[in-house]
């Protein structure tokens, strides 16, 4: 199965829920978010996916929805958060934001970015002040357009801006992890990015993720474990690690 997002989709709200796992067995958290994805379909979620950080300690749940009013999004957010009770027992809920896709590029000439389970994606996130958000969007777009054709091994990219939080997010989909590493290690990012961004007061973050689930995938056949049993298992795992050390 594949998630697909148009480069300039005015009819789509994209939501990101960001989590920091607090459990040892992160697969249980992923499984909880898979079940959450199934439940969101009843609320009108068109497609969903889970991104797992390769080197860091972050999980992102992505969901796409038909465009809604602000009040409808407030109601949707409240419903979604109420459905995350089991998930938040396994992770710290870091952030939620609705975003609009406003630009993108692809190597196959299509006007969409696509990603499937197993794909490697890198995510750049830049936060600024509300008054500078539109200018930052143009600056990030200039960076994106000037570099995309020069990056080896990239399949597609997407630029998005936050609707409520003044954040710009760029996603790059890679043909392999090796191409992504090569770009990270061999590029002097700060040197060519700062002329575009130095006028902004920004907080920049970057990470590499593996897509571990897209809606339509068969759920991993993990046995159901109650939250109480999960906490016991985590405590046993920690004690085992302490004994080994």
């Amino acid at each position: 199965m594949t998630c697909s997002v148009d480069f300039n989709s005015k009819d789509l709200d994209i939501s990101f829920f960001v989590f920091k796992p607090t459990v040892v067995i992160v697969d249980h958290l992923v499984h909880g978010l898979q079940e959450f994805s199934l439940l969101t379909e009843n609320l009108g979620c068109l497609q969903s996916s889970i991104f797992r950080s390769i080197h860091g300690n972050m999980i992102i749940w992505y969901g796409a929805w038909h465009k809604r009013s602000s009040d409808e999004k407030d109601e949707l957010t409240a419903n979604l958060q109420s459905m995350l009770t089991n998930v938040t027992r396994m992770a710290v809920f870091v952030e939620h934001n609705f975003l609009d896709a406003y630009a993108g590029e692809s190597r196959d000439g299509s006007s969409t970015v696509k990603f499937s389970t197993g794909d490697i994606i890198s995510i750049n996130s830049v936060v600024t002040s509300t008054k500078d958000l539109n200018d930052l969007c143009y600056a990030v777009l200039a960076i994106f357009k000037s570099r995309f054709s020069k990056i080896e091994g990239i399949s597609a990219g997407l630029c998005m801006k936050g609707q409520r939080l003044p954040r710009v997010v760029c996603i790059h989909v890679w043909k392999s992890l090796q191409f992504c590493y090569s770009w990270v290690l061999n590029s002097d990012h700060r040197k060519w990015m700062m002329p575009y961004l130095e006028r902004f007061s920004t907080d920049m973050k970057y990470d590499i993720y593996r897509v571990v689930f897209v809606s339509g995938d068969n759920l991993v056949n993990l046995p159901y474990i109650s939250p109480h049993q999960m906490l016991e298992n985590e405590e046993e795992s920690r004690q085992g690690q302490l004994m080994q050390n």
Side-chain angles (χ1 to χ4, degrees):
M1 304 300 293
T2 301
C3 283
S4 177
V5 185
D6 290 342
F7 294 154
N8 191 3
S9 180
K10 297 180 180 179
D11 299 323
L12 202 66
D13 285 322
I14 297 169
S15 59
F16 272 26
F17 281 77
V18 183
F19 302 91
K20 185 175 183 179
T22 56
V23 292
V24 174
I25 306 174
V26 180
D27 283 345
H28 289 311
L29 172 58
V30 172
H31 187 61
L33 286 171
Q34 289 174 334
E35 294 180 333
F36 171 71
S37 287
L38 293 179
L39 295 174
T40 62
E41 294 177 5
N42 295 327
L43 296 178
C45 187
L46 303 174
Q47 57 183 21
S48 59
S49 185
I50 301 169
F51 310 146
R52 181 172 177 177
S53 173
I54 291 177
H55 300 289
N57 188 28
M58 288 291 177
I59 300 284
I60 296 176
W61 183 86
Y62 151 92
W65 316 79
H66 284 306
K67 208 72 175 175
R68 302 177 182 223
S69 68
S70 294
D71 289 343
E72 289 172 333
K73 276 182 282 198
D74 287 341
E75 182 180 357
L76 174 62
T77 299
N79 287 332
L80 292 173
Q81 290 178 335
S82 70
M83 293 160 53
L84 283 167
T85 303
N86 286 337
V87 170
T88 52
R89 290 192 178 102
M90 297 179 276
V92 175
F93 181 33
V94 177
E95 181 183 301
H96 167 257
N97 197 7
F98 281 104
L99 305 110
D100 295 316
Y102 70 91
E105 293 275 357
S106 68
R107 286 289 169 80
D108 64 5
S110 68
S111 60
T112 60
V113 62
K114 302 179 181 70
F115 49 88
S116 304
T117 300
D119 283 349
I120 300 299
I121 63 173
S122 58
I123 299 180
N124 298 283
S125 174
V126 187
V127 179
T128 188
S129 62
T130 301
K131 66 181 180 64
D132 287 334
L133 179 59
N134 287 333
D135 288 342
L136 178 62
C137 287
Y138 287 117
V140 169
L141 179 58
I143 295 172
F144 181 84
K145 291 288 188 181
S146 68
R147 302 300 298 184
F148 185 84
S149 63
K150 303 174 184 177
I151 302 175
E152 184 181 8
I154 195 170
S155 299
L158 183 70
C159 298
M160 300 176 287
K161 69 174 181 177
Q163 296 179 7
R164 301 187 179 184
L165 298 177
R167 181 185 297 277
V168 178
V169 177
C170 286
I171 292 179
H172 292 117
V173 183
W174 297 88
K175 295 179 180 178
S176 72
L177 184 58
Q178 287 69 31
F179 279 122
C180 184
Y181 282 156
S182 178
W183 178 71
V184 171
L185 295 174
N186 296 327
S187 300
D188 188 356
H189 305 295
R190 192 172 187 84
K191 181 178 179 180
W192 54 260
M193 288 176 65
M194 287 316 296
Y196 294 93
L197 302 177
E198 60 187 358
R199 64 174 288 259
F200 301 102
S201 175
T202 60
D203 176 24
M204 301 179 63
K205 295 181 180 180
Y206 175 84
D207 206 348
I208 302 171
Y209 295 82
R210 189 182 303 278
V211 181
V212 295
F213 173 81
V214 298
S215 51
D217 284 350
N218 291 325
L219 288 181
V220 177
N221 291 321
L222 291 175
Y224 172 76
I225 301 179
S226 68
H228 177 72
Q229 182 63 45
M230 194 172 297
L231 290 173
E232 289 183 351
N233 291 347
E234 293 298 329
E235 183 61 30
E236 290 175 1
S237 298
R238 292 191 185 96
Q239 290 177 358
Q241 289 178 346
L242 290 173
M243 292 177 66
Q244 291 174 1
N245 294 333

